[in-house]
Amino acid sequence: MGLFDALFRSSEVLGIAEETLEFAIESSEATHPNEYMGFLRGTEASELGLERDGLVITDILVMPGTEANSVSATVKTSTIPNDVKALGSVHSHPNGVLRPSPADLESFGRGSVHIIIGAPYRYRDWKAFDSSGQPQTLNVIDVDLPDSESFFDFTQADIDEELREW
Ligand SMILES: [Zn+2]
């Protein structure tokens, strides 16, 4: 199994937790004028008290080694742990354009949900796209996230810990 096959798995994505979306928008605003970028991870809906099969996007993993500047944010692929399963990606467009760039389209091939958040970072300043760059509907789900304080506070140690578990 190649790196990207391991990184991205296909499962039905029911939507994104409202809290997670708000976090991504706030992070994008905080990162402005640089570009914010992370990978989306999910939690089984049943673990969140929803009587549905599928996954809810609940985590954003910002990789160590992300190089951010106002033109683009790229991730050094060598720093992506093999076993971190991502549903897709999120990144910001400080110029406010809510459509994928040609470079985005190339990177969207893996993962099923790709979110672009644009300046001025209001609640509705985002769009979701599929792997071919077509707009798609992404539900925003109001769920209580367990352990939300440590949830987004990923450090290299956390990632190492997770890798050991796998
Ligand atoms: Zn982009």
Side-chain angles (χ1 to χ4, degrees):
M1 184 179 275
L3 170 64
F4 283 102
D5 290 329
L7 184 61
F8 296 111
R9 63 176 176 176
S10 56
S11 297
E12 192 194 353
V13 177
L14 302 174
I16 183 169
E18 185 169 27
E19 204 176 304
T20 306
L21 176 64
E22 286 172 358
F23 172 82
I25 293 171
E26 285 167 16
S27 299
S28 296
E29 184 168 26
T31 310
H32 189 86
N34 293 321
E35 195 169 314
Y36 171 78
M37 179 170 182
F39 292 102
L40 304 173
R41 305 181 69 206
T43 299
E44 296 287 346
S46 58
E47 288 177 33
L48 298 169
L50 302 174
E51 292 180 6
R52 291 283 308 272
D53 288 330
L55 293 162
V56 177
I57 296 166
T58 52
D59 278 90
I60 295 169
L61 178 56
V62 177
M63 301 306 302
T66 303
E67 289 176 1
N69 59 54
S70 60
V71 178
S72 65
T74 58
V75 172
K76 292 176 186 165
T77 51
S78 61
T79 65
I80 301 172
N82 283 342
D83 292 323
V84 175
K85 295 182 291 288
L87 303 175
S89 68
V90 57
H91 75 283
S92 67
H93 279 179
N95 64 7
V97 177
L98 294 180
R99 10 170 235 280
S101 68
D104 291 340
L105 292 175
E106 276 179 36
S107 69
F108 281 3
R110 303 289 177 164
S112 54
V113 181
H114 301 279
I115 299 172
I116 294 175
I117 295 169
Y121 312 108
R122 292 163 307 196
Y123 184 72
R124 302 237 162 247
D125 291 330
W126 63 278
K127 279 201 167 93
F129 302 88
D130 65 17
S131 59
S132 62
Q134 295 302 309
Q136 66 167 309
T137 301
L138 183 65
N139 298 314
V140 179
I141 303 174
D142 184 11
V143 285
D144 285 327
L145 298 184
D147 195 26
S148 60
E149 273 174 33
S150 60
F151 221 49
F152 302 114
D153 190 17
F154 264 100
T155 64
Q156 184 64 51
D158 293 325
I159 293 165
D160 291 345
E161 179 66 31
E162 182 149 304
L163 288 177
R164 270 195 295 279
E165 287 171 11
W166 284 89

